[in-house]
């Protein structure tokens, strides 16, 4: 199912230092230390010519804003591809395919990614012609550069690699991690500002706990993200839970039908 080799991330950016704190913390840091991922941030400016090593220029046709010049970007991409020939080259851009958990899982199977981070108004159109394999967006909002999107992508992919989360692979324990919201979580203390932890979680009955967690996931998804339920193939147990809610709601409404006179007289 999974590529057991090391995942290679190369980011191309004019601000490589932005990635230092990202590499240095948490699960990403541990993945580097455990050689689950290899990372490098390459300065596109190193591939720019001339005394001032300029990476941007004014757009043909006029207008405000600047465009990333093609030559330094092309040099940086070709150099990265020579060093990691099996990598896929991805441009971070609002015009790309939207990143979701399904796409993150597909990317996690690849041996390497070269992530191109644009700044300014974008990159010269001709870069896309044969130097970019895919365009990916992290969402419909406008950022000042592709660096944060590249970090979001690497973060979501890194936690899917075998062994990176520590313990069993909790990342995909949820075979449904893309289509149901997480259940509610509690930790100590048992009573916090008067609010108690549900008894079932203290019962030690793992069957009952799993049932409670599935019901919690379902109710949260139903209340906050109905779209996820509509686009999902429900499991047998999930259907049972939804049917039970249906029956419970119907019972409540059935009792109400005997109070129709109240309703008509304006008693809500
Ligand atoms: N999800 N941005 C990229 C400059 C740019 C524009 C076009 C290449 C082509 C973004 C996002 C995002 C802002 C990163 C514009 N580079 N990227 N940048 N949302 O908003 O990925």
């Amino acid at each position: 199912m999974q590529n057991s080799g090391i995942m290679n991330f190369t980011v191309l950016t004019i601000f490589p230092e932005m990635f230092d704190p990202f590499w240095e913390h948490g699960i990403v840091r541990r993945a580097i230390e455990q050689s689950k991922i290899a990372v490098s941030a390459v300065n596109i400016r190193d591939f720019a010519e001339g005394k001032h090593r300029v990476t941007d220029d004014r757009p043909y046709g006029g207008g405000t804003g600047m465009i990333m010049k093609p030559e330094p970007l092309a040099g940086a991409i070709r150099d990265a591809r020579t060093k990691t020939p099996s990598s896929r080259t991805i441009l971070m851009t609002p015009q790309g395919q939207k990143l979701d958990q399904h796409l993150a899982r597909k990317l996690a199977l690849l041996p390497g990614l070269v992530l191109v981070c644009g700044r300014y108004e974008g990159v010269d159109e001709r870069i896309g012609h044969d130097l970019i394999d895919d365009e990916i967006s992290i969402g419909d909002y406008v950022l000042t550069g592709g660096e944060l999107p590249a970090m979001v992508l690497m973060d979501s992919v890194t936690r899917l690699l075998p062994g990176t989360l520590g313990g069993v692979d909790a990342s995909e324990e949820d075979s449904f991690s893309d289509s149901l919201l997480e259940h509610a979580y509690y930790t100590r203390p048992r009573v916090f500002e008067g609010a108690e932890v549900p008894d079932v979680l203290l019962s030690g009955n793992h069957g009952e706990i799993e049932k409670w967690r599935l019901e919690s996931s379902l109710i949260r998804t139903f209340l906050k993200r109905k779209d996820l339920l509509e686009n999902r193939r429900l499991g047998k147990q999930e259907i049972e839970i939804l049917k039970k809610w249906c029956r419970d709601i119907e019972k409540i409404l059935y009792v109400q039908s005997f109070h129709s006179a109240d309703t008509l007289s304006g008693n809500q």
Side-chain angles (χ1 to χ4, degrees), residues 184-196:
Y185 285 103
Y186 297 87
T187 186
R188 289 183 292 183
R190 197 182 69 77
V191 184
F192 172 69
E193 297 182 356
E196 294 185 11

Side-chain angles (χ1 to χ4, degrees), residues 92-95 118-122 136-139 141-143 145-146 149:
M92 306 312 301
T93 164
Q95 289 138 61
R119 283 265 150 181
Y120 324 114
E121 309 316 304
I136 295 179
S137 165
I138 62 160
Y141 37 81
V142 183
L143 301 168

Side-chain angles (χ1 to χ4, degrees), residues 235-247:
K236 195 165 160 274
Q237 224 186 344
E238 295 163 24
I239 291 171
E240 278 317 305
I241 292 169
L242 291 177
K243 282 183 177 167
K244 182 173 78 65
W245 294 348
C246 258
R247 290 194 298 272

